Amino acid sequence: MSRGDNPATSKMDAPSDGKVCGFPVKTTQKAVMVNNQKTDILCSHFADKLFVVVTQFNKLGNLIELTRDVAVDDAITPSRPSYSTKVLMGRDEPLMHVLAKNVLGKLDIKKPVMLALALKDESPKSVAQLSEAIKGIV
């Protein structure tokens, strides 16, 4: 290691598989094509939350907090978990809540999720492709 190298940053460089293995946060990133749009996805697993960035603009965009709703009785629990959403930054309109729930709806995530969402294409086809891509790296 040369004199100018910082040992803390050299350990955090992303290997070719997109996984970053640093303490204390496990982070995975991936670039995918979604409906002919380059989309970057980043997932960071914190002890108490999951932070997911989905962007087609190279910026965070809307920041939405999702918390899983707890069912009183397992017999009435739907096959898909339901989430409560709260827009913390960006457009607080019904479409953002629907997009956030549909992007993460197929995942079975117990801890709260912070979702940064910046999409050019908000079509149902794109959201379904995004959901599958996120499922593969979470």
Side-chain angles (χ1 to χ4, degrees):
M1 183 180 314
S2 70
R3 189 186 232 253
D5 289 342
N6 182 345
T9 57
S10 63
K11 290 179 184 177
M12 294 300 292
D13 291 340
S16 61
D17 66 357
K19 292 188 178 184
V20 178
C21 302
F23 178 80
V25 180
K26 177 187 165 204
T27 300
T28 307
Q29 61 188 22
K30 185 177 188 179
V32 296
M33 292 301 287
V34 173
N35 223 9
N36 295 322
Q37 294 287 335
K38 180 184 175 279
T39 307
D40 295 308
I41 302 170
L42 177 122
C43 294
S44 295
H45 294 267
F46 291 88
D48 61 342
K49 286 191 192 315
L50 175 65
F51 181 55
V52 179
V53 177
V54 180
T55 183
Q56 295 173 336
F57 288 103
N58 293 325
K59 60 183 179 179
L60 293 178
N62 296 290
L63 186 60
I64 305 155
E65 180 181 34
L66 292 99
T67 52
R68 185 175 173 149
D69 295 331
V70 179
V72 177
D73 184 8
D74 287 338
I76 61 171
T77 303
S79 58
R80 263 175 64 169
S82 66
Y83 294 93
S84 295
T85 57
K86 180 179 179 184
V87 175
L88 302 176
M89 179 176 74
R91 298 182 300 171
D92 190 1
E93 55 188 36
L95 179 61
M96 284 299 111
H97 297 272
V98 171
L99 287 173
K101 287 178 182 182
N102 283 308
V103 165
L104 296 177
K106 293 182 181 177
L107 305 175
D108 189 19
I109 301 170
K110 305 273 192 253
K111 58 186 170 182
V113 177
M114 299 299 289
L115 174 65
L117 198 57
L119 300 176
K120 292 178 185 176
D121 182 4
E122 298 172 342
S123 69
K125 180 180 177 183
S126 293
V127 171
Q129 290 176 6
L130 280 173
S131 182
E132 288 303 314
I134 293 169
K135 193 176 183 181
I137 66 170
V138 169

